[in-house]
Amino acid sequence: MKAGIVRFPGSNCDEDAFHAIADHLGQEAVYLWHKDHDLQGVDLVILPGGFSYGDYLRAGAIARFSPIMQEVVAHAKRGGLVLGICNGFQIACEAGLLPGALLRNVSLRFVSAPVSLRVESIATRFTSQYHVGQVIRIPVAHGDGRYTADADTLAQLEGDGQVVFRYVDDNGEATDAANPNGSQRNIAGIVNAEGNVLGMMPHPERAMESALGSTDGLPLFQSLLDALLGGVRA
Amino acid sequence: MTRFRCAIHIVPRRGILDPQGKAVADALHSLGFAAVGDVRVGRYVVVEIEAASEDAARDQVKAMCEKLLANPVTEDFEIASVGGGHA
């Protein structure tokens, strides 16, 4: 598996993603420069966390028009895998790869903390190594993480099993108190209808080793590896 | 070609929770402005542009709003004024 991590001006989780792929998964990782048009033949594109273009105007709004994003969108339309984490989720929504938008946290505060997520679907190439209903601990770090979509889109996401991760409390219940940003229906991560693009606000690449407090991000990357090497399709 | 100065208002869509607006409304209430109802906090953008006519300038600014300046999922925009018109 070869993963490409896009570096936008303001990306700051690019090296974490590289570390996850290269050191934890033992797979090839390359950086993709935002001004380039070359995906270098990667199987997986990671849009990393950070503050691309300073989040000016709206988070992800300007990054979406980077030259490399034309190639990323084409890769996704061909069925190629794309993982958008945090700012990458915002960019994927702005680019139309995923429905909805990420708005300012209801608290108006930047939230940086480990949160509990419930795995809602394992029928994706990103989550096959989890169990349905499994509660995992993964950190969030964002100011604009409130997932919002219109009622029809929400109903479609729920009906088609596209809600992949939900913020929950220690008992696995999706309560308001467990929702760090006010996301509709406690949505923390979704896939597109084709199942090849995942966007999530929490950072699985920061939950890869016990020294960091959690290894619960590891199965996500192992799922991708399994999908690419084993040909498992959603 | 003429230079125009276009002012654009971008506001959160009706029905979208606007915590900034709510915080401002609460502050206004606490200052005694009891008559204040809903408050929405948006963005004001001024674009200077060379165009053949005021209509042409307006058309281009509308395209900018639809493509970049406003997110159609969450925001409405209004071109508040197209002024200038100096050669």
Side-chain angles (χ1 to χ4, degrees):
Chain A
M1 171 172 115
K2 183 176 178 182
I5 298 132
V6 180
R7 278 187 145 160
F8 300 98
S11 294
N12 65 15
C13 300
D14 43 346
E15 294 192 14
D16 305 64
F18 192 101
H19 180 58
I21 297 292
D23 300 324
H24 286 288
L25 232 52
Q27 299 296 307
E28 187 180 358
V30 293
Y31 290 117
L32 303 173
W33 187 236
H34 67 110
K35 285 186 177 171
D36 289 346
H37 278 280
D38 182 6
L39 291 188
Q40 300 181 35
V42 299
D43 306 300
L44 163 70
V45 173
I46 300 179
L47 303 173
F51 298 88
S52 56
Y53 298 86
D55 274 356
Y56 294 136
L57 192 63
R58 292 183 310 277
I62 298 177
R64 171 246 184 286
F65 290 102
S66 288
I68 196 79
M69 282 305 294
Q70 292 177 32
E71 313 310 322
V72 174
V73 169
H75 169 80
K77 298 292 179 206
R78 287 193 299 269
L81 292 165
V82 177
L83 170 60
I85 302 167
C86 197
N87 192 227
F89 186 13
Q90 296 159 343
I91 295 167
C93 286
E94 286 283 342
L97 292 176
L98 292 168
L102 283 309
L103 295 176
R104 185 73 56 88
N105 296 348
V106 162
S107 64
L108 297 177
R109 293 193 185 94
F110 190 95
V111 53
S112 177
V115 299
S116 294
L117 306 175
R118 191 173 67 212
V119 179
E120 302 290 75
S121 170
I122 61 165
T124 86
R125 281 167 271 176
F126 302 87
T127 53
S128 64
Q129 304 299 306
Y130 293 106
H131 311 291
V132 172
Q134 186 178 347
V135 176
I136 59 176
R137 290 285 280 178
I138 292 197
V140 294
H142 60 247
D144 299 83
R146 174 166 48 113
Y147 183 75
T148 303
D150 62 49
D152 289 347
T153 301
L154 288 173
Q156 187 247 316
L157 288 173
E158 299 276 10
D160 294 347
Q162 289 175 243
V163 177
V164 173
F165 298 112
R166 226 184 285 268
Y167 301 109
V168 294
D169 63 15
D170 293 342
N171 300 318
E173 299 298 323
T175 61
D176 285 346
N179 190 338
N181 49 41
S183 284
Q184 288 181 310
R185 305 192 186 198
N186 285 46
I187 289 172
I190 57 170
V191 286
N192 62 341
E194 294 75 22
N196 62 309
V197 180
L198 172 75
M200 61 190 297
M201 288 311 295
H203 287 269
E205 82 285 14
R206 293 189 189 172
M208 301 290 280
E209 51 201 287
S210 50
L212 294 179
S214 173
T215 58
D216 288 349
L218 202 48
L220 187 144
F221 290 94
Q222 286 168 335
S223 299
L224 286 166
L225 188 57
D226 191 58
L228 285 164
L229 298 186
V232 176
R233 311 285 289 190
Chain B
M1 298 290 272
T2 310
R3 179 176 294 273
F4 294 93
R5 193 169 184 276
C6 307
I8 306 147
H9 293 301
I10 301 161
V11 289
R13 280 227 157 134
R14 194 172 283 278
I16 298 262
L17 175 64
D18 175 16
Q20 290 182 88
K22 188 174 180 304
V24 172
D26 290 348
L28 290 171
H29 291 154
S30 68
L31 287 172
F33 296 102
V36 169
D38 191 39
V39 176
R40 318 285 288 168
V41 175
R43 192 180 296 120
Y44 179 67
V45 180
V46 176
V47 174
E48 286 190 4
I49 182 171
E50 297 272 351
S53 67
E54 187 178 316
D55 282 349
R58 188 177 289 275
D59 286 348
Q60 286 200 58
V61 168
K62 182 166 180 281
M64 291 175 209
C65 289
E66 288 167 348
K67 189 168 187 183
L68 174 68
L69 299 179
N71 183 331
V73 177
T74 57
E75 296 171 325
D76 288 321
F77 68 87
E78 179 192 355
I79 301 169
S81 65
V82 179
H86 307 299

